[in-house]
Amino acid sequence: MHAVAAISQSALAHNLSIVRAQAPHSKIVSMVKANAYGHHLANSKPLLQADLLGVSELSEARQLRQLCDQPILVLSGVYSATDLNEVVELGCHVVIHHPSQITTIANTTQALNVWLKVDTGMHRLGLSADELNSCIQQLAKNPNIHIEAVMSHFACADEPSNAKNLQQISHFSQLDIARFNRSMANSAAILSRPSAHFDYVRPGVMLYGVSPFGKPDESLQPVMQLSAPVLSIKKINAGDQVGYGATWQAEEDTIIAIIGIGYADGYPRHAKNGTPVLINNKLYPLAGRVSMDLICVDIGDALVNIGDKAILWGHPKLRVETIAQYSDTIGYELLTHVSSRVNFIQS
Ligand SMILES: *Cc1c(COP(=O)(O)O)cnc(C)c1O
């Protein structure tokens, strides 16, 4: 009796096809950083057919290389000669986001594909326009180095009407980079801003069936279904309190189902009273605080049995976006926090 994360292979394939349909003229970098947004790389094979695969760091590229032969884009790039040897060995493309990384790669004697990341207004990783030009000149001296693309990242793509988006596109378009492949779009820009698709798109969260805009998107299919068994059922009386801190009190006589999942599994401790839980195809409200291993649900007078399956998210009737709203976070965080105690299976 334990929590299960079932990863739908057909949903992954479907969501990738939505990216293709939205950006038919762009190549696709499937973003599979953070162990495929918490879905586990080994369960995410349908995504590994994209043109490139994006990870945050070298350790992730190492793990991914066990599973497929596609080129891998390492977003944080290289910081030492040892890193450089390894990216070459693993067949990775590297992002250069700081001028100091040029020194590490400048004299490479092996073929290397480089992506130059430019800061167009997010002010996180990325070269300034001047640094970009000087990097391009320096790299041109080494025939082993090929600049595969120039990329940038949006700060506010999840707010399509935010003026910052057009400012960033305008900044990017003014750079002298038309001779290179260009890449800007994450999921939000793929779905809302065709003018930002350019040559490569970089979908992440939408591949896992989650909308970057916070409200469920019916065209995407949820990939991870998180469920856990009902471990106990008990009748309580009006006025009885449930859980740590006794923060929830029954208004009338009712029945509580106790489910075998808690914050140690990745169910958010900040989920409020009333957060919906799906049992036997009906939604019931969370009652009381989330504990480490358990949650309690008010099922009223419903017939629920020990062993019945409770779905926490990843169902057309209960998507992770809803749980994120009830717990003041985003779907990205919930998906990446599902812990190793949960049994991951493919469905
Ligand atoms: C994570 C990431 C993406 C994907 O973002 P989503 O919002 O999940 O689509 C794209 N580009 C870069 C540089 C990233 O780090």
Side-chain angles (χ1 to χ4, degrees):
M1 298 276 266
H2 50 215
V4 173
I7 309 302
S8 166
Q9 305 299 293
S10 61
L12 287 167
H14 168 84
N15 297 332
L16 183 58
S17 79
I18 297 288
V19 175
R20 285 206 187 91
Q22 291 282 330
H25 307 296
S26 307
K27 290 189 183 177
I28 299 176
V29 187
S30 276
M31 300 306 295
V32 293
K33 60 194 181 190
N35 212 2
Y37 283 50
H39 295 64
H40 296 189
L41 288 168
N43 296 324
S44 306
K45 292 251 172 78
L47 300 184
L48 308 186
Q49 287 148 24
D51 300 289
L52 253 94
L53 309 171
V55 297
S56 176
E57 53 172 71
L58 202 43
S59 67
E60 298 177 303
R62 210 174 289 142
Q63 210 193 334
L64 183 52
R65 186 49 80 224
Q66 311 290 316
L67 297 168
C68 73
D69 298 325
Q70 293 303 87
I72 300 169
L73 177 63
V74 181
L75 292 172
S76 61
V78 288
Y79 286 84
S80 65
T82 320
D83 286 358
L84 177 62
N85 281 335
E86 194 168 8
V87 296
V88 169
E89 217 165 89
L90 292 172
C92 296
H93 293 210
V94 285
V95 172
I96 297 290
H97 57 77
H98 192 275
S100 63
Q101 293 179 307
I102 295 287
T103 337
T104 309
I105 66 162
N107 299 319
T108 183
T109 53
Q110 290 166 293
L112 185 65
N113 282 299
V114 168
W115 290 49
L116 295 173
K117 183 169 190 176
V118 56
D119 178 8
T120 53
M122 184 169 184
H123 299 130
R124 201 178 55 175
L125 295 182
L127 306 162
S128 70
D130 287 347
E131 288 168 344
L132 175 71
N133 289 330
S134 107
C135 284
I136 291 170
Q137 282 171 17
Q138 284 176 266
L139 295 182
K141 294 178 192 155
N142 185 337
N144 295 313
I145 295 177
H146 168 71
I147 298 175
E148 175 57 23
V150 178
M151 65 184 283
S152 190
H153 196 54
F154 285 110
C156 306
D158 57 330
E159 303 165 32
S161 61
N162 193 311
K164 182 133 190 140
N165 294 311
L166 285 176
Q167 288 162 13
Q168 287 193 257
I169 293 176
S170 155
H171 186 139
F172 195 63
S173 302
Q174 281 162 26
L175 299 168
D176 179 21
I177 53 171
R179 63 193 182 283
F180 300 112
N181 288 319
R182 289 179 287 178
S183 175
M184 272 197 105
N186 55 5
S187 298
I190 290 167
L191 293 167
S192 67
R193 202 169 287 283
S195 66
H197 288 174
F198 296 107
D199 303 291
Y200 280 101
V201 292
R202 306 191 306 267
V205 80
M206 70 181 287
L207 294 172
Y208 307 95
V210 177
S211 166
F213 305 115
K215 284 205 317 272
D217 177 339
E218 301 294 332
S219 75
L220 301 170
Q221 294 176 4
V223 172
M224 179 197 290
Q225 182 174 98
L226 183 66
S227 66
V230 174
L231 295 183
S232 172
I233 308 266
K234 70 174 43 165
K235 286 189 174 158
I236 63 167
N237 299 317
D240 285 350
Q241 297 162 325
V242 172
Y244 283 121
T247 61
W248 186 89
Q249 188 165 27
E251 281 171 12
E252 49 194 61
D253 294 359
T254 190
I255 302 175
I256 299 292
I258 296 99
I259 318 289
I261 194 164
Y263 60 78
D265 302 288
Y267 192 82
R269 201 183 83 92
H270 289 106
K272 295 182 185 58
N273 281 322
T275 303
V277 174
L278 189 70
I279 309 174
N280 300 338
N281 214 29
K282 270 195 71 179
L283 293 169
Y284 300 101
L286 189 71
R289 281 195 193 146
V290 173
S291 341
M292 186 183 286
D293 313 312
L294 300 166
I295 59 173
C296 299
V297 178
D298 180 6
I299 58 170
D301 56 4
L303 249 184
V304 168
N305 294 306
I306 288 180
D308 283 357
K309 175 164 127 174
I311 295 175
L312 291 317
W313 65 63
H315 185 281
K317 282 192 174 172
L318 184 59
R319 291 183 178 239
V320 74
E321 291 90 334
T322 303
I323 306 303
Q325 264 167 24
Y326 274 93
S327 43
D328 292 326
T329 182
I330 52 177
Y332 298 75
E333 189 183 42
L334 296 180
L335 294 175
T336 54
H337 281 195
V338 176
S339 80
S340 60
R341 186 164 74 179
V342 173
N343 186 21
F344 278 73
I345 61 169
Q346 292 179 17
S347 67

